[in-house]
Amino acid sequence: MKRLVLVGTDHEDRKGSKRLEDTLSTIKPDILSVECSLETLKLSKNNETEIINLISKMKVRGVSKNYIAFFEKLLKGNLGCFEYDTTKAYAERKKIPFYLSDDPNMAQSTRNTIFQKLKNTLNTIPSGREIPIPSEEELSKEEDLSYGTAQAMLKGEIPQEYVDKLLETRRGILIGQRDAYMEQRIREIFSQSQPDSTLIHIGGYSHLLNDPKAETLYARLIDLHPERYLIYT
């Protein structure tokens, strides 16, 4: 019997690569799909320039050197695509099919949204004084809390009203058209797969949420009875 598994990630997870590798090794997929496109990969080559611009603006505002160094390190980690890198490496090692399943036409607008959020965050950082830097332990706890909340939403332990409010903040650029594109790609891949195969699609966990408006990827694929997991356990 065919098996469709949707695996959710936090794109900013600093331990995401290892967590995803462990998840893939546990489920042992026959086919892999990832929330990414060639256009996204092309645009990511400009990340270094964008980071330099953001850092320059922080210096002009007089943000402390210790926080600038911390913010730069965090940016370089967050803007990488561990899902693509890890999934591609696993597929090549196991010699299994690997597909990019995100909408290339939405790559630029998605990227713009992400960088605008970063710029908004930058404007809230105090200037002219030293800022306490979170420890590795504190950052790890924050990541774990994010996954814990996501897991509770997947299990229905958090009221749907809260989930709906979260989705409303992401509809349009992040949720909606991209999910429709991914749905078509996954249905096509799944329909052509062998009867006893397991297809895993990896993407941001918000696409895995239940949605009364049926705009998330999970809601669109509900008839295929997809299983849902997070890379954090």
Side-chain angles (χ1 to χ4, degrees):
M1 183 177 179
K2 289 184 182 182
R3 185 183 179 196
L4 173 59
V5 181
L6 304 179
V7 172
T9 69
D10 178 343
H11 294 314
E12 299 178 2
D13 185 358
R14 295 168 309 117
K15 295 179 285 188
S17 183
K18 183 182 185 308
R19 285 171 163 163
L20 179 53
E21 179 70 35
D22 290 345
T23 300
L24 295 177
S25 297
T26 298
I27 301 177
K28 297 179 175 57
D30 302 294
I31 310 165
L32 282 168
S33 164
V34 67
E35 178 193 324
C36 190
S37 69
L38 288 175
E39 189 62 25
T40 300
L41 295 174
K42 291 177 184 176
L43 290 171
S44 68
K45 294 178 181 178
N46 298 322
N47 282 353
E48 189 67 29
T49 300
E50 294 283 358
I51 289 174
I52 290 173
N53 290 337
L54 287 171
I55 295 302
S56 296
K57 291 178 180 178
M58 292 177 74
K59 290 179 178 178
V60 170
R61 290 186 60 242
V63 176
S64 64
K65 291 182 179 179
N66 71 321
Y67 198 86
I68 288 177
F70 164 75
F71 194 73
E72 184 174 8
K73 180 180 178 182
L74 205 63
L75 276 179
K76 288 181 177 178
N78 290 352
L79 294 176
C81 187
F82 75 82
E83 294 96 339
Y84 169 80
D85 294 335
T86 306
T87 303
K88 182 173 183 288
Y90 183 93
E92 290 177 346
R93 191 167 65 250
K94 297 295 183 179
K95 296 180 171 55
I96 61 175
F98 167 64
Y99 299 92
L100 303 181
S101 298
D102 204 357
D103 186 351
N105 297 318
M106 295 291 287
Q108 185 64 64
S109 55
T110 301
R111 178 182 172 81
N112 291 345
T113 298
I114 291 171
F115 273 98
Q116 187 57 55
K117 287 176 65 178
L118 285 173
K119 291 173 183 175
N120 293 342
T121 299
L122 185 154
N123 290 332
T124 67
I125 298 173
S127 59
R129 61 182 175 83
E130 290 291 307
I131 305 172
I133 303 300
S135 66
E136 284 295 315
E137 182 180 359
E138 289 171 329
L139 289 172
S140 292
K141 284 183 178 179
E142 187 175 332
E143 290 169 353
D144 291 348
L145 178 61
S146 173
Y147 279 115
T149 302
Q151 187 67 59
M153 287 191 286
L154 294 187
K155 290 182 176 180
E157 296 172 351
I158 289 180
Q160 185 63 39
E161 180 182 0
Y162 174 89
V163 179
D164 293 344
K165 287 181 179 179
L166 173 64
L167 290 174
E168 288 304 321
T169 66
R170 303 186 179 189
R171 294 193 194 279
I173 301 298
L174 301 179
I175 295 289
Q177 182 177 326
R178 293 174 62 215
D179 296 75
Y181 183 94
M182 288 189 281
E183 175 200 0
Q184 291 191 0
R185 284 283 290 162
I186 291 170
R187 285 186 183 278
E188 178 183 354
I189 297 166
F190 195 62
S191 68
Q192 296 174 0
S193 62
Q194 296 298 314
D196 59 348
S197 62
T198 296
L199 164 61
I200 287 185
H201 172 78
I202 300 103
Y205 68 71
S206 59
H207 299 284
L208 275 62
L209 297 175
N210 185 43
D211 180 16
K213 294 184 178 181
E215 292 187 342
T216 60
L217 181 62
Y218 170 71
R220 293 171 184 273
L221 293 171
I222 195 71
D223 61 297
L224 298 181
H225 309 290
E227 301 171 40
R228 294 181 294 172
Y229 298 96
L230 298 177
I231 60 173
Y232 171 76
T233 55

